[in-house]
Amino acid sequence: MNETRSMWSHTRLLLRKDLLAEWRSKERLSPMVFFVLLVLLVYNFAFELGGAALWEIGPGVLWSSFVFASLFGLQRTFAAESTNDCLDALLVAPIDRGSLYLAKMVGNVLFLLGVQLLTLPLFGLFFNLNPGLYLLPLFIVFFLGAASVASVGTLFSAMTEHSRLREFLLPLLVLPVLIPALISCVAATSVVLAGGIPGRSAVLWPPDLTIHVGMLALFAMVFTTLAWMLFDFVIEE
Amino acid sequence: MLAAIIAAMVYAPTEQQMGDVQRIFYFHVSSALCAAMAYFLVFVGSVEYLRTRQDRWDRFAGVRAEVGVLFSAFVLFSGPLWARPIWGVFWRWEPRLATMLITLTIYVAYLMVRNYGDPGERTQRFAAVVGVVAFVSVPFVQYSIKLWSADQQLHPQKVELGPMMEQTKWLCYFAFACLFTLLLRLRLNQERQAARLQALSRSTT
């Protein structure tokens, strides 16, 4: 009991440190948001967005830009710790390694969620999305999607931190494993966006949504647990 | 192996609807089974390595991943050859095909971690972690693709085989199992020699 409590308090402490550092520097959030904006621009000129494209390719555009932006963010997960050998200090400190993973993972979820929420209005603007209450389930999808990306991504970014080919290796590892989650994210998003089709009566929770959201939740839970268990092996020196 | 080829080419009667292309089936299915077996063994090797930290388990997993990728690639190569005359196209984004392709990319990434990492204990550990994650992700890939796929399952679900075809099928399974073991042993021997050579050169310097 005591152990669990100290694990949580360590996690909170580490998370607070990362968030504070990010708040002062904004060195992860702003480049990621700007990157999503650029990807949306590129897609706009590649596909001529707007009109019916919203329902056909909109969800795919949204999630591919999120995933690519998240790869940048994930690469920075342990960057702050490798300068001045902070990671060694953290490993020597009497804290459970699992809480280090959880702190980094939750941090990544929050960053990605921040990026998603900041760029959703831009996406809506480019695609002429009708704002409305039907968009609410999107936040659940965003949260679970971010959790799925962060679960696998945090583990692999700890691995690739020391690799010569860091920039290459991280996407190569993360992307194939993430495909199932990505499929559910895109499917769930398109179910939600379909609520905005003119003339369609908007429902708050379309029945089709449940299976995709359930799948995402399962993915996030399984891989968070697995990564949490394996994290010890990755950072032991 | 030779007997399997002869059996598949000559002994087994020609399938009534599909004709001679059906003969690919014997090799296609056999190598798919070998690939699945290989991936399972990568998982076993990875877990054992993380538990015991013995080099031999690392080699065990690595060699099986290589052979698994080889057999998967053959499955994906022989599939389109059969699909072209039967489905009319080489490739459909059909559940089993897509699953096989994604699984293949995951294990190629696994091999990249092994080969591009600095040789040493750390890379072995990382590879083992990827080996475990990769295996856990396979059912997810399979299920999600099923949800996503616009094409229905196009693979023949239940194949009715005549007795001679049955015999050929089992002979092919056996032959591929032998080939699988043979490749593994060859590669494993080579890896062992390489490790010994390295140990030797380290001890002389």
Side-chain angles (χ1 to χ4, degrees), chain A residues 152 155-156 158-160 162-165 169 172-173 176-177 179-181 183-184 211-212 215 218-219 222-223 226 230 232-237, chain B residues 50-51 53 102 105-106 109-110 112-113 115-118 121-122 125-130 132-134 136-137 140-145 147-148:
Chain A
V152 188
L155 177 73
F156 285 156
M159 275 173 42
T160 50
H162 303 286
S163 157
R164 279 176 296 134
L165 294 163
L169 215 49
L172 290 182
L173 281 173
V177 177
I179 284 178
I183 289 172
S184 298
I211 184 154
H212 299 302
M215 171 79 190
L218 187 70
F219 186 96
V222 168
F223 280 93
L226 186 68
L230 291 172
D232 263 9
F233 297 114
V234 167
I235 55 165
E236 78 181 33
E237 293 302 326
Chain B
L50 289 178
R51 237 167 42 89
R53 299 303 165 87
I102 295 168
T105 59
I106 295 177
Y110 168 86
M112 284 185 173
V113 171
N115 293 333
Y116 294 147
D118 314 311
E121 189 262 348
R122 186 195 272 159
R125 247 190 302 129
F126 288 177
V129 168
V130 179
V132 174
V133 173
V136 174
S137 70
F140 278 96
V141 172
Q142 203 167 20
Y143 184 67
S144 67
I145 294 279
L147 273 182
W148 160 83

Side-chain angles (χ1 to χ4, degrees), chain B:
Chain B
M1 195 66 217
L2 192 69
I5 294 177
I6 294 171
M9 295 298 167
V10 186
Y11 176 70
T14 307
E15 215 265 344
Q16 283 181 353
Q17 285 169 4
M18 300 192 223
D20 276 333
V21 264
Q22 183 266 343
R23 292 170 195 277
I24 287 177
F25 155 88
Y26 302 113
F27 289 0
H28 180 75
V29 177
S30 312
S31 39
L33 287 176
C34 287
M37 191 64 202
Y39 293 149
F40 174 67
L41 291 174
V42 173
F43 174 70
V44 173
S46 299
V47 171
E48 283 300 302
Y49 177 75
L50 289 178
R51 237 167 42 89
T52 62
R53 299 303 165 87
Q54 287 169 349
D55 283 354
R56 66 196 183 95
W57 284 113
D58 173 65
R59 279 198 295 270
F60 178 96
V63 168
R64 271 144 190 85
E66 282 175 7
V67 176
V69 164
L70 187 74
F71 277 108
S72 305
F74 177 73
V75 171
L76 286 174
F77 169 77
S78 63
L81 289 182
W82 171 84
R84 177 68 212 201
I86 305 299
W87 295 346
V89 284
F90 285 115
W91 190 272
R92 290 287 290 271
W93 284 102
E94 181 260 7
R96 250 185 248 180
L97 249 142
T99 306
M100 198 72 195
L101 181 64
I102 295 168
T103 312
L104 178 68
T105 59
I106 295 177
Y107 282 92
V108 170
Y110 168 86
L111 288 181
M112 284 185 173
V113 171
R114 296 187 68 89
N115 293 333
Y116 294 147
D118 314 311
E121 189 262 348
R122 186 195 272 159
T123 303
Q124 295 179 344
R125 247 190 302 129
F126 288 177
V129 168
V130 179
V132 174
V133 173
F135 188 71
V136 174
S137 70
V138 171
F140 278 96
V141 172
Q142 203 167 20
Y143 184 67
S144 67
I145 294 279
K146 253 187 214 149
L147 273 182
W148 160 83
S149 180
D151 278 343
Q152 285 306 305
Q153 178 67 262
L154 288 175
H155 270 83
Q157 287 300 306
K158 202 167 169 232
V159 191
E160 297 253 330
L161 296 173
M164 281 163 94
M165 288 170 144
E166 277 291 339
Q167 288 159 14
T168 313
K169 185 181 84 177
W170 284 107
L171 182 61
C172 278
Y173 285 174
F174 177 70
F176 267 76
C178 290
L179 179 67
F180 180 66
T181 331
L182 184 72
L183 283 175
L184 285 179
R185 283 186 59 178
L186 278 175
R187 189 76 182 92
L188 203 59
N189 250 332
Q190 192 199 346
E191 288 281 317
R192 264 196 218 118
Q193 309 276 14
R196 266 174 57 196
L197 195 65
Q198 227 169 16
L200 265 176
S201 73
R202 222 179 290 135
S203 65
T204 47
T205 48

Side-chain angles (χ1 to χ4, degrees), chain A residues 6 16 25 68 109 130 148 201 208 217 225 235:
Chain A
S6 74
R16 215 176 79 97
S25 66
F68 290 136
V109 173
N130 294 322
S148 305
S201 61
D208 295 356
T225 318
I235 55 165

